[in-house]
Amino acid sequence: MPRTQKSASAAVTIPYKPRPPQPLIHEALESHRFCVLVTHRQMGKTVCAVNHLLKSALQNTRPAGRYFYIAPFLKQAKLIAWDYVKRFAAPLPGIKLSEAELCVSLPTGAKIWLLGADNPDALRGTYADGVILDEYAQIKKDVYDEIVRPMLLSRGGWVVFMGTPKGQNQFYELYNEACKAAQTDPAHWWCGVFPADETGVIAAQELEEIRRRTPEHLFRQEYLCDFTADAEDVFIPMSLVSEACGRAYASAEVAHAPKIIGVDPARFGADRSVIFKRRGLQAYAPEVFQKIDHMTLAARVAAAIEEFRPDAVFIDAGCGGGVIDRLHQLGFEVTEINFGASPLKAGQYANKRAEMWGNLKEWLQAGGALPALPELKADLCGLRYDFDPAGRLRLESKDALKARSGRSPDLADALALTFALPVQRRAVQPHFARTEYDVI
């Protein structure tokens, strides 16, 4: 439906019909002051931005509202956004369009300007109720720090940083900072990532054709919103995870394989406790909990064991001592896994955690199927790696990742735990009984 907004004087209708995922984006933009929007090519972010500006300007009851759409270059702003501004603003009563100034004046007294970051001094000394910074990866960082941010002070204005990844530049740094800010200050900060394999804007067949004809790193960057597409130290690439999220196996196809549960108990208040189930090449949607105590988590794990009847249950011993002890009291046999312990392949991996993730990566390459969860994708593709002096692969620590990106890979670690040790399927599944695992 067209969006009807009440201006200071009358109700007006913007001739705009949002398509998925635009309604979700608008909801977030309208309820947060600082937003970072990461999208794939051709998703419609500019249309979103123009209509967000129009709605905000129409609803503004303050005198002389000022709004700005800023692209890296003035010519780029005109080419990308001006036609959209004219299309959606032209039917509104009482508007005035200035081609010379790339400005639209609304009946509320508010104005919207299109500008280029190539002439940032044109913005100095003014104020803003709202600013869109498009293709932020191509805009110098000091444009926001020195010019745009001060413009927002007097009116408590909002800002939207948006674009498509172009490597690990200031947009990537901003994205990481926004992810951390959204956890500590969710009332003001929002960070949204919309890759092409999730939005549905590009038909699956056409997206596959684009993938075949595009160099892998460009496809990952432009369509999968992968900031690390050009990075050489990312352990699991986005393309590998994306392919796994597009696969699924019927129960009969994995019936021969052992069933395994991995449990990663939360370390700190903001971290998540996760129960992950896997059978052969099929991983199932995890159970994710926040602010749950160990006794309650143990009860959840017990219920999962009763329902799934796994051949093995692996639990992170670093934070799961209480969970492990309680499950043993209940008669369940679970195996505690120390992430820092020696791996089975001692010459290849620096520790057990690196080995589990290595096994996970090999599983993905062999055709593993994942639930299509954005949080899981982010967890799996976030870790960096290097090699120790002995030439063994080691992973970035949880603490280092959290300091860099603001998130802990709890979902991915729980899935990795299902690869802690080789497991053989039992002939008879136990029911609430202690038995020895047939682990080979």
Side-chain angles (χ1 to χ4, degrees):
M1 295 291 292
R3 292 159 67 87
T4 300
Q5 313 302 339
K6 290 186 178 180
S7 69
S9 56
V12 297
T13 298
I14 301 174
Y16 166 53
K17 189 175 182 179
R19 68 182 184 188
Q22 290 168 338
L24 175 64
I25 294 172
H26 283 296
E27 181 181 349
L29 299 188
E30 292 169 12
S31 56
H32 297 84
R33 187 181 178 197
F34 303 99
C35 296
V36 175
L37 176 61
V38 185
T39 73
H40 65 83
R41 292 296 177 205
Q42 303 302 314
M43 196 220 71
K45 64 180 173 59
T46 304
V47 172
C48 262
V50 166
N51 282 282
H52 181 55
L53 286 168
L54 284 170
K55 179 179 178 181
S56 298
L58 286 167
Q59 290 185 326
N60 191 351
T61 57
R62 290 182 174 184
R66 293 190 175 191
Y67 296 85
F68 299 89
Y69 170 94
I70 303 173
F73 303 96
L74 179 60
K75 288 183 178 180
Q76 188 176 7
K78 183 175 183 179
L79 178 65
I80 293 174
W82 183 237
D83 283 346
Y84 288 134
V85 171
K86 290 190 292 185
R87 180 199 304 180
F88 294 111
L92 304 180
I95 66 105
K96 295 180 181 179
L97 293 166
S98 172
E99 291 278 352
E101 296 184 350
L102 296 183
C103 175
V104 57
S105 300
L106 300 170
T108 58
K111 292 184 178 182
I112 300 172
W113 282 271
L114 271 62
L115 298 171
D118 51 338
N119 183 23
D121 288 338
L123 292 165
R124 291 188 186 274
T126 188
Y127 62 86
D129 293 275
V131 177
I132 300 285
L133 288 164
D134 197 3
E135 299 298 349
Y136 186 68
Q138 302 175 50
I139 294 176
K140 292 181 179 179
K141 186 176 182 295
D142 57 8
V143 171
Y144 174 72
D145 294 339
E146 298 178 13
I147 299 174
V148 173
R149 186 64 181 94
M151 291 166 58
L152 306 175
L153 295 177
S154 63
R155 309 267 285 215
W158 53 260
V159 62
V160 177
F161 307 86
M162 64 183 197
T164 300
K166 283 189 176 293
Q168 294 176 294
N169 50 27
Q170 85 272 5
F171 191 31
Y172 176 63
E173 293 173 1
L174 173 69
Y175 165 74
N176 284 327
E177 290 301 317
C179 288
K180 289 189 280 188
Q183 292 189 30
T184 58
D185 189 12
H188 293 93
W189 279 89
W190 175 79
C191 189
V193 182
F194 296 87
D197 60 342
E198 293 179 12
T199 65
V201 172
I202 301 175
Q205 184 175 355
E206 187 167 1
L207 186 62
E208 176 59 23
E209 177 67 17
I210 295 172
R211 186 195 65 77
R212 285 198 300 266
R213 293 179 176 273
T214 306
E216 182 184 356
H217 75 282
L218 285 178
F219 181 79
R220 286 167 53 193
Q221 178 176 276
E222 301 283 307
Y223 294 94
L224 300 183
C225 298
D226 186 357
F227 283 102
T228 64
D230 288 325
E232 296 182 355
D233 61 348
V234 174
F235 188 59
I236 297 180
M238 176 68 78
S239 56
L240 190 59
V241 174
S242 237
E243 290 169 6
C245 288
R247 289 190 289 259
Y249 296 96
S251 297
E253 294 179 280
V254 295
H256 66 285
K259 296 187 287 186
I260 308 167
I261 291 179
V263 182
D264 185 38
R267 302 165 69 208
F268 307 110
D271 289 351
R272 299 156 292 181
S273 293
V274 183
I275 302 172
F276 225 124
K277 303 172 186 174
R278 180 177 65 83
R279 185 169 199 178
L281 288 174
Q282 182 65 58
Y284 303 98
E287 297 178 63
V288 184
F289 311 97
Q290 284 188 307
K291 298 180 180 179
I292 184 173
D293 62 75
H294 280 185
M295 293 302 99
T296 305
L297 179 59
R300 299 280 189 165
V301 175
I305 294 172
E306 284 288 88
E307 183 270 329
F308 193 55
R309 303 289 181 86
D311 298 285
V313 180
F314 300 123
I315 303 178
D316 176 14
C319 302
V323 177
I324 294 166
D325 291 344
R326 178 56 177 160
L327 287 169
H328 283 163
Q329 287 177 353
L330 293 173
F332 293 100
E333 178 150 351
V334 298
T335 303
E336 57 184 277
I337 301 295
N338 185 341
F339 279 28
S342 297
L344 297 179
K345 302 172 184 176
Q348 184 175 352
Y349 298 104
N351 55 31
K352 173 58 74 175
R353 179 168 177 253
E355 182 179 57
M356 291 190 299
W357 275 74
N359 292 337
L360 167 56
K361 183 176 182 179
E362 290 177 3
W363 174 81
L364 291 170
Q365 292 168 331
L370 293 170
L373 301 174
E375 299 89 348
L376 177 59
K377 287 184 179 182
D379 281 6
L380 286 169
C381 300
L383 273 183
R384 297 172 177 173
Y385 77 99
D386 64 3
F387 294 92
D388 68 9
R392 299 175 302 178
L393 186 144
R394 62 185 177 190
L395 294 177
E396 179 180 25
S397 71
K398 267 192 174 187
D399 290 338
L401 174 63
K402 192 165 186 178
R404 176 169 59 83
S405 67
R407 60 184 300 122
S408 178
D410 306 312
L411 275 71
D413 273 340
L415 176 59
L417 276 161
T418 68
F419 299 92
L421 293 169
V423 177
Q424 193 174 53
R425 189 184 176 199
R426 298 178 185 178
V428 179
Q429 296 297 318
H431 180 70
F432 216 108
R434 289 185 66 124
T435 59
E436 293 298 324
Y437 290 126
D438 294 320
V439 177
I440 59 173

